[in-house]
Amino acid sequence: MNYLQREFHLFVAQIFPDLLKSKEKKDKETFNKLILKVLPSIRKYVKQRLVAAIKKGHFSKNKYKPDDFVDQLFIEVYEHIEEVKKAEDFYLWLFRKTNQLLENIIEEEEFDELFFKNIDDYSKLEWDEMEEKFSADAEGDLLMMDELDDSSFHKNDYTLNHVFVEDDEQNYIDKLDKELSDAKTQKHMQMILHKFPLHMQSVFELYSKYNFNVDEISIIKGITQKEVNRLIEETRNELRKSFFNRYLTDDI
């Protein structure tokens, strides 16, 4: 977890007692003002999950907006904040509540099995055409949503360090860093992750973008630590394989 994220987690824990006090006094105005201070990360998570669901075709881009979930989260937090036993658990609890709201709307689906089955056989032209189509869909469809068009959505959060984690893989990172821009790396990873079921995307996102550990993700998602580890490792392996097949064929 980086310094800014650690500081934000501490900030969220620090305002937790004030939230409880305002709830006890039935002061919803103060309560809501305090919650607004911790929403940026939650809102970003909601936006990214909606983008993935829309691109998967679960519902149209106009059916839901982030504020639909944020408004419901206000209600959930106010009604159930007493469930949180320790201030340091509040941030994690917020993500769990948010995930539950999203899961009630977003259905899961199977792998794009054909893609992963044929990943070894794609030519450079086919990779480029695939990426071009993925980018066109994103720009022409998803980013038309005004609610999603902000700096937090466009920020590049995935890195090669999320894929190549072994000590003997640093040379792959170095080679790819020389050949690919950050934007190119980000776009490739987004394209591959899109091929996974949404629950796998969200687990990897919580791990890589929000720096939650395995235990925390298991709480947020309501699954075992063993399952979280499996999903992260499976996602990482397929991402690694895609980089090898597209950019590191000489190193296989």
Side-chain angles (χ1 to χ4, degrees), residues 76-78 80-84 89-98:
E76 290 289 321
V77 173
Y78 187 81
H80 301 287
I81 192 171
E82 288 85 2
E83 293 177 2
V84 184
D89 293 337
F90 182 50
Y91 187 67
L92 183 63
W93 182 84
L94 281 173
F95 266 84
R96 183 180 182 185
K97 280 293 180 185
T98 303

Side-chain angles (χ1 to χ4, degrees), residues 39-145:
L39 277 182
S41 289
I42 301 293
R43 187 179 178 84
K44 178 181 177 181
Y45 179 62
V46 171
K47 290 177 181 180
Q48 291 167 335
R49 291 293 307 278
L50 287 180
V51 165
I54 292 166
K55 194 165 180 61
K56 284 285 191 182
H58 287 280
F59 42 76
S60 70
K61 62 178 178 291
N62 296 316
K63 187 170 183 179
Y64 297 105
K65 292 185 177 181
D67 282 342
D68 297 333
F69 295 90
V70 171
D71 291 345
Q72 183 61 33
L73 185 62
F74 269 95
I75 298 172
E76 290 289 321
V77 173
Y78 187 81
E79 291 182 350
H80 301 287
I81 192 171
E82 288 85 2
E83 293 177 2
V84 184
K85 303 305 180 185
K86 297 185 295 183
E88 56 266 31
D89 293 337
F90 182 50
Y91 187 67
L92 183 63
W93 182 84
L94 281 173
F95 266 84
R96 183 180 182 185
K97 280 293 180 185
T98 303
N99 191 73
Q100 289 171 347
L101 291 174
L102 289 163
E103 293 298 329
N104 287 337
I105 298 297
I106 300 172
E107 296 179 0
E108 307 296 353
E109 73 294 316
E110 299 301 319
F111 283 101
D112 186 340
E113 292 183 4
L114 186 63
F115 169 78
F116 290 110
K117 182 179 179 180
N118 296 325
I119 195 170
D120 293 335
D121 300 322
Y122 286 114
S123 66
K124 181 182 184 305
L125 178 60
E126 287 172 317
W127 275 113
D128 292 345
E129 289 177 346
M130 191 187 313
E131 182 176 292
E132 184 177 350
K133 182 180 186 303
F134 178 83
S135 300
D137 287 345
E139 294 171 4
D141 189 15
L142 301 179
L143 296 186
M144 288 174 65
M145 295 179 67

Side-chain angles (χ1 to χ4, degrees), residues 159-217:
T159 71
L160 292 170
N161 295 98
H162 296 137
V163 180
F164 299 97
V165 297
E166 303 298 332
D167 292 340
D168 60 357
E169 293 181 327
Q170 182 60 45
N171 59 314
Y172 300 137
I173 295 177
D174 295 340
K175 181 173 182 178
L176 289 168
D177 277 339
K178 290 179 181 179
E179 295 184 4
L180 305 177
S181 65
D182 288 343
K184 187 74 172 177
T185 298
Q186 177 80 0
K187 188 173 292 184
H188 176 83
M189 291 181 69
Q190 289 175 336
M191 179 178 69
I192 301 303
L193 288 168
H194 170 63
K195 303 291 185 178
F196 285 96
L198 294 176
H199 72 284
M200 293 186 72
Q201 292 183 41
S202 66
V203 164
F204 193 75
E205 185 174 276
L206 289 167
Y207 165 75
S208 59
K209 290 189 174 185
Y210 296 92
N211 295 110
F212 286 112
N213 61 37
V214 170
D215 181 47
E216 292 168 335
I217 296 172

